Amino acid sequence: MSLVSSEAFVMGLSAIGAACIGLAAVGIGLGQGLAAMAGVAGVAKQPEAKGDILQVMLVGQAVAETTGIFAFIVAIVLLFANPLVGYL
């Protein structure tokens, strides 16, 4: 006789996985902050290249943000529409 049903076990591990994926937001925030810091430093050194620096910085931050969006979607799927429960 088990203390925890297999469905509850999978849901619990999915919640832990979703919380770990939520930690990705910390890395994304740090990466975007460093990109903004480098952009500001670049504009301070070469004000005439402001447009090019801003364009490259924004593209880099958009790429970093897509990682956060994908992590958020995976966490929501694990919590609310868990496909792993169907394999039990």
Side-chain angles (χ1 to χ4, degrees), residues 42-43 46-55:
V43 170
Q46 290 184 323
E48 65 277 359
K50 176 182 166 187
D52 293 336
I53 292 170
L54 180 66
Q55 181 181 11

Side-chain angles (χ1 to χ4, degrees), residues 24-53:
V26 174
I28 293 164
L30 287 173
Q32 287 182 339
L34 290 173
M37 179 184 70
V40 169
V43 170
K45 289 180 183 177
Q46 290 184 323
E48 65 277 359
K50 176 182 166 187
D52 293 336
I53 292 170

Side-chain angles (χ1 to χ4, degrees), residues 18-28:
C20 291
I21 290 172
L23 292 175
V26 174
I28 293 164

Side-chain angles (χ1 to χ4, degrees), residues 2-16 78 82 84-85 88:
S2 72
L3 296 174
V4 178
S5 70
S6 58
E7 183 176 333
F9 183 71
V10 168
M11 292 302 289
L13 287 180
S14 296
I16 291 171
L78 281 177
N82 196 334
L84 302 174
V85 174
L88 296 177

Side-chain angles (χ1 to χ4, degrees), residues 18 21 69-79:
I21 290 172
I69 292 169
F70 289 144
F72 177 71
I73 290 170
V74 169
I76 293 298
V77 166
L78 281 177
L79 287 176

